[in-house]
Every structure is written in C-alpha cells, then in structure tokens.
Amino acid sequence: MRKYIIAGNWKMNMNLSESIALISAIKNSVANEKLNCELVICPPFTNLETASALLKDSNVKLGAQNMYYEENGAFTGEVSAAMLKSVGCKYVILGHSERRTIFGESNQLINKKIKKALSSELLPIFCIGETLEERETGTTFDVVKKQIVEGLSEISETDVLKIVVAYEPVWAIGTGKTASKEQAEEVHLFIRNLLAELYSAEIANEITIQYGGSVKPDNAVELLSQPNIDGALVGGACLKAESFLGIAKAC
Ligand code: PEP
C-alpha cells in the first residue's frame, strides 16, 4: 500500500550551524511520535554528511535536492548519485521547477537523472507541474502528461514503483498561493490515471503522489485528505521544525 511521504526541500537555505539546530529540533520532536508518514529532509549538499550523522538511528530520512547523471569526471560543480549514497541519502529531488526554469533542465535530462538515481539505489522525488501561463491557457494536463511521459521514458515497472511523484504547480511554489484541494486532486487523479495507462492500475495505485506549493500546517489536512494526495513536498514551511511537523501530523 502506498504511504504518505512528507519531504522538506530546504533549497539554498541554512548554513551548517543553522542546519544542526533545525535537524536536532526535528529529530527530537519526532523521536517519540508515531507518525503516519515517512519524514524526509533535503538540506543543501554541504550539510548532508552532518545531517546523516545527526539522523543516525532516527525515524527521519535524508534526501538531496539534485544530482548529475554521470558517474564521475569533469563536471565542475556537480554531485553524483554515488556521492549522495556515500553520505547516507535515501532520496533525491529531481526536476524541481526551479531546476527546470532557472537552470534550464529538460525532461530528457531529468529522465537521465532518474535512471541514474534508480540504478544507484536512490529514490527519486520526481517533480512536475505547470506554470501560471500554462494553467491559464488550459494546457495543464498536456504539460503534466509530457513531463511524465518523457521523464519516465524507458523506466521499467519495477523501477517506477520506487519513484515518488511530486505535483507542484509552479504558480503555487513560494507564492503563498495554494492550489485548492479540488484543483490539486483533479491533477493528482489525472497523474494516477496516466500512470495506470503507462504501466497498470495496480502499479499506479502503489505510487506516492505528493502535492507541493505553499503547503502549511493549516492547509495540510484538507489537501492530504484528498484520495490521490499522498504527502507533500514542502519548501518555506520546512525551515521551522514546528511548521514542518505540523504538516507531518496532518497525515
Ligand atoms: C517547493 O519548493 O518544492 C515548494 C513546494 O515550496 P513552497 O512550499 O515554499 O511553496
């Protein structure tokens, strides 16, 4: 059965000492909690090793925010899947809209990264979602379909089950504007049906589909109570232990 996954994308925030304080606060708060979700934090690369040590024996898992698909070599500034594994990452966020829009990542590049993550035993959190213009011109479903079909190209049935899909309408990321539960559920259902078409209904039913876009403790319950919303990818609200855990408790 698919599980709720709440993941915090710290983006380019938190230096080392701030990270230690936030991780300690999260870890201590959940130590005796029976959460109905997998809780994941994705700090910047520079803090992963420390995070991994702090999270040893805790119920909080570690993820990275990006990686490159090559094994190693002359790729200045990039980080490989093996490097992320070596510092204890379980997840890696791939195809975040900021990677797509600011750094020009294409569906084809994201597909290569997903394949490399999977063959390296990292679980991809595969982000998709439409811009405001695409929503307003009525192309949301076309855009999301293309991102999924191209992003998951040549990914096997066995491997797709290891992927977490994160539907994040770009207009809702960091803007304080959340998709209504109806708007979000409509696209989540579309994604699930598309996965059923590409793979099978059984497989589609097992895949966690997170929602992302200004999720906070006070809107988490209504979003997470939708039948096809299985967790959240959280930006702003994950930078404070209290709000991040408030979202986790909504599960
Ligand atoms: C994100 O960056 O993935 C995100 C959802 O950010 P926020 O929660 O701040 O909208």
Side-chain angles (χ1 to χ4, degrees), residues 66-106:
N66 185 31
M67 50 158 261
Y68 196 53
Y69 65 84
E70 291 285 0
E71 192 63 36
N72 52 35
F75 304 102
T76 302
E78 294 296 324
V79 166
S80 73
M83 290 170 187
L84 298 181
K85 277 297 282 184
S86 75
V87 292
C89 287
K90 176 175 179 184
Y91 291 92
V92 59
I93 299 172
L94 295 174
H96 189 278
S97 71
E98 286 148 20
R99 299 297 318 170
R100 292 176 185 266
T101 55
I102 304 172
F103 301 99
E105 292 197 5
S106 64

Side-chain angles (χ1 to χ4, degrees), residues 9-70:
N9 173 12
W10 293 18
K11 311 196 185 190
M12 198 171 73
N13 294 299
M14 300 283 158
N15 63 26
L16 187 57
S17 58
E18 291 164 340
S19 294
I20 292 171
L22 180 54
I23 295 164
S24 306
I26 293 172
K27 185 178 118 167
N28 295 337
S29 314
V30 298
N32 299 316
E33 293 275 348
K34 180 100 188 66
L35 293 174
N36 188 26
C37 66
E38 171 123 310
L39 201 58
V40 184
I41 59 165
C42 304
F45 291 139
T46 48
N47 304 338
L48 289 172
E49 190 180 353
T50 303
S52 180
L54 287 169
L55 294 178
K56 194 167 178 294
D57 301 325
S58 105
N59 45 1
V60 182
K61 306 295 177 206
L62 189 62
Q65 298 173 24
N66 185 31
M67 50 158 261
Y68 196 53
Y69 65 84
E70 291 285 0

Side-chain angles (χ1 to χ4, degrees), residues 7 9-11 93 96-98 127 166-170 172-177 211-216 232-238 247:
N9 173 12
W10 293 18
K11 311 196 185 190
I93 299 172
H96 189 278
S97 71
E98 286 148 20
C127 303
Y167 168 60
E168 300 202 297
V170 181
I173 297 180
T175 58
K177 264 191 219 167
Y211 169 78
S214 300
V215 178
K216 303 179 208 73
L233 183 54
V234 185
C238 78
I247 295 169

Side-chain angles (χ1 to χ4, degrees), residues 45-239:
F45 291 139
T46 48
N47 304 338
L48 289 172
E49 190 180 353
T50 303
S52 180
L54 287 169
L55 294 178
K56 194 167 178 294
D57 301 325
S58 105
N59 45 1
V60 182
K61 306 295 177 206
L62 189 62
Q65 298 173 24
N66 185 31
M67 50 158 261
Y68 196 53
Y69 65 84
E70 291 285 0
E71 192 63 36
N72 52 35
F75 304 102
T76 302
E78 294 296 324
V79 166
S80 73
M83 290 170 187
L84 298 181
K85 277 297 282 184
S86 75
V87 292
C89 287
K90 176 175 179 184
Y91 291 92
V92 59
I93 299 172
L94 295 174
H96 189 278
S97 71
E98 286 148 20
R99 299 297 318 170
R100 292 176 185 266
T101 55
I102 304 172
F103 301 99
E105 292 197 5
S106 64
N107 291 332
Q108 287 67 30
L109 175 65
I110 295 159
N111 175 250
K112 285 184 181 167
K113 292 186 178 194
I114 292 176
K115 287 178 180 159
K116 185 65 188 178
L118 289 165
S119 66
S120 310
E121 293 177 4
L122 280 170
L123 306 179
I125 298 179
F126 168 40
C127 303
I128 53 172
E130 81 288 1
T131 62
L132 183 58
E133 191 190 348
E134 289 160 347
R135 176 156 283 262
E136 287 177 348
T137 52
T139 56
T140 296
F141 294 126
D142 298 333
V143 169
V144 166
K145 180 171 183 178
K146 191 167 159 64
Q147 289 171 331
I148 291 190
V149 169
E150 294 182 0
L152 296 183
S153 169
E154 297 170 352
I155 306 277
S156 70
E157 294 192 350
T158 318
D159 275 347
V160 81
L161 285 165
K162 298 174 192 151
I163 294 176
V164 177
V165 176
Y167 168 60
E168 300 202 297
V170 181
W171 49 271
I173 297 180
T175 58
K177 264 191 219 167
T178 319
S180 67
K181 59 183 193 308
E182 292 83 9
Q183 281 174 319
E185 172 61 17
E186 184 185 33
V187 183
H188 280 240
L189 178 60
F190 173 80
I191 293 167
R192 189 140 356 250
N193 288 339
L194 179 59
L195 291 170
E197 241 176 70
L198 295 173
Y199 294 93
S200 70
E202 291 72 30
I203 287 174
N205 206 32
E206 290 298 312
I207 297 177
T208 294
I209 308 177
Q210 297 176 311
Y211 169 78
S214 300
V215 178
K216 303 179 208 73
D218 58 7
N219 59 23
V221 170
E222 66 170 19
L223 286 161
L224 293 169
S225 60
Q226 297 304 300
N228 288 290
I229 300 183
D230 315 314
L233 183 54
V234 185
C238 78
L239 297 176

